[in-house]
Amino acid sequence: MSSYLGAIGTATPAHCIAQPQIADFMARALQLGDDDTRKLRALYRVSGIAQRYSVLPDYGRSNGSFTFFPNTPDLEPFPSVGQRMAVYRREALPLALDAVRNCLRQAPAIELNTITHLVTVSCTGMYAPGLDIELVQALGLPTSVKRTCVNFMGCYAAMNALKLADAFCRADDSARVLIVSVELCTLHFQKSREEDHLVSNALFSDGAAACLVLPRPLPGPTPSLALQAFHCALEPDGHDDMAWHINDFGFEMTLSSYVPKLIQKGIRTLTDGLLAQLPVQLSDIHAFAIHPGGRKILETIEAALGLSQHDNRYAYQVLRNYGNMSSATVLYVLKELLEDASPADNGAPVLSFAFGPGLTMEAVLLQLAVRNEQPAAAHQEAAVLAAVE
């Protein structure tokens, strides 16, 4: 018995900022000299990112017109965790609602009062009563809906949300699970010249994603993905190379340059451990949904598994257009894949990966379920043509 992921909706904040503009903001904020500014701009040019979204307009503005950061040369007094969480509380719910509405438009047969489980995912903000309760109230979900919060697990957290949803559906044939991931990473800009912070500031962005997981495929033509198997591995050598800590001036990301090497070391073992459960070989898989933690990570996985950039095209598309939105990102990649699916892809296996603190590596094997359904008008047209012939 499989559960099915489908109807993935996404949402981004209003402020879309080109990567070179963000580089200019960072150079000014860090008060870099000409040589260091050139190096920073080069880092942004090779990131594979064209633009990113933020709930803060400041990253596209010059000093003097900021709305969140102080309009001082050194951005002091630098915003506290409390100030950042106040923005999270204000912005997370509207963004989440946009993603949910986008999701439900793709599944008109699913009514909100039939949702049995709500799983919320975030590592960039927390409060209580939290986003889960606010979503119940704003959407008019039954107050008896079973709520689960997946917090502070980083970029792989959506995988754990899918595991939970899969377990709910396997245990209850009437389950209808709504997953909502919201990440406002840009609230946590760190005014530091350390390499980890320079890299993090060049990658992360804001976004939300929502999806449905059901015990059977969605009715109608909307494609779904059967959740077939999950596998998790830890690479203990990376314990200090990817981390996420709450400090006085926001949440601080550690993302060392050694992370791609650690992933390269463990990705084949992770893949073999997943596929060992199933009658599927890596050579059978031609569709991939890989979390774009960064361009170097994508290239490392390609080299380790013998993939081409075309195999990995959905991850590159998301990285280019959105950057790294932490846990929401892999759902964006799966959405790109589903939108590209055709009836000829029905039954095709899909391999998906995500990574996070620990160093944690998560994998899931999915299978495309695409109905070969034509609208009634198309059936009528085909019948007329057949009669004429």
Side-chain angles (χ1 to χ4, degrees):
M1 174 184 170
S2 295
S3 61
Y4 292 83
L5 162 67
I8 303 173
T10 58
T12 52
H15 307 294
C16 178
I17 307 165
Q19 188 77 328
Q21 280 186 281
I22 303 173
D24 290 343
F25 168 91
M26 295 295 175
R28 291 192 302 268
L30 298 173
Q31 299 182 303
L32 300 180
D34 291 343
D35 189 47
D36 286 334
T37 296
R38 281 193 296 272
K39 292 178 182 177
L40 186 74
R41 287 174 177 158
L43 171 66
Y44 278 62
R45 280 196 304 272
V46 301
S47 66
I49 300 170
Q51 61 189 28
R52 287 184 279 164
Y53 290 83
S54 176
V55 294
L56 303 175
D58 294 6
Y59 296 107
R61 296 181 173 182
S62 57
N63 200 320
S65 58
F66 296 156
T67 61
F68 177 70
F69 294 107
N71 285 287
T72 57
D74 58 358
L75 303 187
E76 293 294 341
F78 205 44
S80 65
V81 171
Q83 290 172 298
R84 297 171 199 245
M85 289 301 93
V87 177
Y88 183 92
R89 289 195 301 273
R90 183 183 75 230
E91 300 289 347
L93 178 63
L95 197 62
L97 288 172
D98 283 349
V100 171
R101 289 167 183 145
N102 186 339
C103 166
L104 294 175
R105 277 195 293 269
Q106 302 167 49
I110 305 298
E111 297 181 1
L112 281 167
N113 62 7
T114 67
I115 298 296
T116 59
H117 296 74
L118 173 65
V119 182
T120 55
V121 186
S122 188
C123 70
T124 50
M126 289 176 284
Y127 56 100
L131 180 63
D132 57 328
I133 292 176
E134 290 183 348
L135 281 168
V136 170
Q137 295 170 336
L139 293 170
L141 296 176
T143 56
S144 59
V145 69
K146 300 175 179 66
R147 295 176 285 113
T148 306
C149 303
V150 179
N151 293 130
F152 218 68
M153 300 191 82
C155 296
Y156 68 91
M159 294 292 199
N160 282 321
L162 291 174
K163 287 181 189 177
L164 286 167
D166 179 60
F168 296 150
C169 289
R170 289 175 185 270
D172 181 358
D173 190 58
S174 65
R176 291 186 171 187
V177 186
L178 177 63
I179 296 174
V180 185
S181 167
V182 184
E183 300 290 12
L184 306 185
C185 304
T186 68
L187 294 179
H188 301 293
F189 158 56
Q190 295 300 304
K191 194 184 64 172
S192 164
R193 299 188 186 189
E194 292 182 16
E195 182 182 1
D196 291 351
H197 293 150
L198 293 177
V199 172
S200 298
N201 292 339
L203 294 175
F204 286 96
S205 57
D206 300 349
C211 62
L212 291 167
V213 178
L214 310 171
R216 56 194 60 82
L218 283 167
T222 304
S224 299
L225 287 159
L227 298 168
Q228 302 237 291
F230 296 89
H231 191 63
C232 175
L234 284 172
E235 186 56 58
D237 290 346
H239 183 272
D240 297 323
D241 290 279
M242 188 184 287
W244 191 227
H245 300 287
I246 300 176
N247 284 317
D248 293 339
F249 300 100
F251 300 178
E252 292 187 16
M253 165 62 77
T254 299
L255 188 63
S256 83
S257 59
Y258 192 47
V259 166
K261 294 180 181 178
L262 291 164
I263 291 174
Q264 183 179 35
K265 178 181 174 183
I267 194 69
R268 186 71 200 217
T269 301
L270 176 73
T271 304
D272 291 345
L274 172 68
L275 299 183
Q277 309 172 48
L278 301 156
V280 177
Q281 305 292 323
L282 182 59
S283 58
D284 299 326
I285 303 172
H286 303 287
F288 296 85
I290 300 174
H291 167 67
R295 182 182 60 83
K296 185 64 175 176
I297 287 175
L298 295 179
E299 292 173 348
T300 296
I301 294 170
E302 289 164 12
L305 299 183
L307 309 183
S308 68
Q309 284 198 355
H310 180 74
D311 293 330
N312 218 0
R313 61 193 180 278
Y314 304 114
Y316 282 111
Q317 289 169 16
V318 170
L319 182 65
R320 180 177 62 252
N321 295 328
Y322 302 98
N324 184 343
M325 298 164 286
S326 191
S327 69
T329 319
V330 75
L331 295 175
Y332 274 66
V333 179
L334 287 165
K335 177 180 171 64
E336 295 274 350
L337 185 149
L338 278 175
E339 289 179 346
D340 200 31
S342 70
D345 299 313
N346 185 55
V350 176
L351 185 56
S352 183
F353 300 113
F355 318 96
L359 175 80
T360 302
M361 295 183 288
E362 293 276 356
V364 57
L365 185 74
L366 312 101
Q367 186 179 54
L368 277 162
V370 189
R371 287 187 174 89
N372 190 10
E373 291 187 359
Q374 295 177 302
H379 282 300
Q380 292 170 1
E381 181 181 356
V384 170
L385 288 173
V388 171
E389 292 173 356

